[in-house]
Amino acid sequence: MTAADIAARLDRLPSSRTVWRIVFLISLGCVFEFYDLFFTAYVAPGMIDSGLFTDESLGPFAALEIIRVAGFGTFVFSTFAGLWLGVVLLGHAADRFGRKTVFTGSLVWYCTCTAIMAFQQSGLWLNVWRLIAGVGFGVQLVTVDAYIAELVPRALRGYAQRPGFRQRPTRR
């Protein structure tokens, strides 16, 4: 039996309650992903008013002004730089260590880093922890879709991966 035969057999299997429960749990994990991505706009005014993003507070991140990134923009830069590093450097980790292990590890990673980030008193360390959290965030972004695609039969993958499913999981 070839790998293609095995894949075809798995795609023909009906989806089970267990599969949808796992997809639901992955979706709950993705709540953190979406929250983390979108909370930036809501925390910006408070972070700016606190004076965290002065040139003195930013340390080496103040040098980003050369590429027209300054103040709160360094926080956003740190987020996406971390995402990029996570995808490029660790995106393959799920293939080596398993989707479940990497998904769980990345979720714990960036939740822990975000919690540590909440206690920082300077723009420099806030950005450093945001960059580190972004690495875990990037790893999860690439792991989730592959994880769901491996669990759900081909005919139902689009349904399981549609954006609304992660916020409001329902069964078809």
Side-chain angles (χ1 to χ4, degrees):
M1 187 172 256
T2 68
D5 293 333
I6 294 170
R9 169 74 176 119
L10 289 172
D11 283 337
R12 286 192 303 272
L13 291 173
S15 63
S16 67
R17 184 179 189 96
T18 302
V19 167
W20 288 110
R21 185 178 306 128
I22 293 168
V23 170
F24 175 75
L25 291 172
I26 293 169
S27 298
L28 286 178
C30 290
V31 167
F32 292 101
E33 173 186 331
F34 283 107
Y35 175 76
D36 200 77
L37 185 61
F38 295 120
F39 89 92
T40 303
Y42 301 108
V43 299
M47 291 170 74
I48 292 168
D49 288 345
S50 71
L52 283 170
F53 298 105
T54 63
D55 285 345
E56 298 81 30
S57 176
L58 290 174
F61 285 96
L64 292 172
E65 196 167 329
I66 294 170
I67 58 171
R68 302 181 58 82
V69 175
F72 186 75
T74 61
F75 183 79
V76 176
F77 174 86
S78 297
T79 302
F80 287 100
L83 283 165
W84 184 81
L85 288 170
V87 169
V88 171
L89 300 178
L90 299 172
H92 66 282
D95 295 331
R96 181 173 180 152
F97 302 110
R99 308 271 184 250
K100 181 178 178 181
T101 302
V102 172
F103 173 76
T104 305
S106 65
L107 183 64
V108 169
W109 172 317
Y110 78 76
C111 285
T112 302
C113 291
T114 300
I116 292 170
M117 185 179 65
F119 297 101
Q120 301 311 304
Q121 300 293 316
S122 72
L124 170 64
W125 288 106
L126 187 72
N127 286 338
V128 166
W129 281 104
R130 186 63 176 170
L131 181 90
I132 296 168
V135 172
F137 190 38
V139 173
Q140 186 186 11
L141 283 172
V142 296
T143 302
V144 166
D145 292 330
Y147 195 8
I148 290 175
E150 289 177 350
L151 290 172
V152 179
R154 184 181 351 178
L156 298 173
R157 284 183 194 148
Y159 176 75
Q161 291 184 328
R162 73 176 200 259
F165 186 87
R166 291 188 183 158
Q167 288 86 19
R168 186 181 32 87
T170 58
R171 188 163 178 188
R172 187 162 114 157

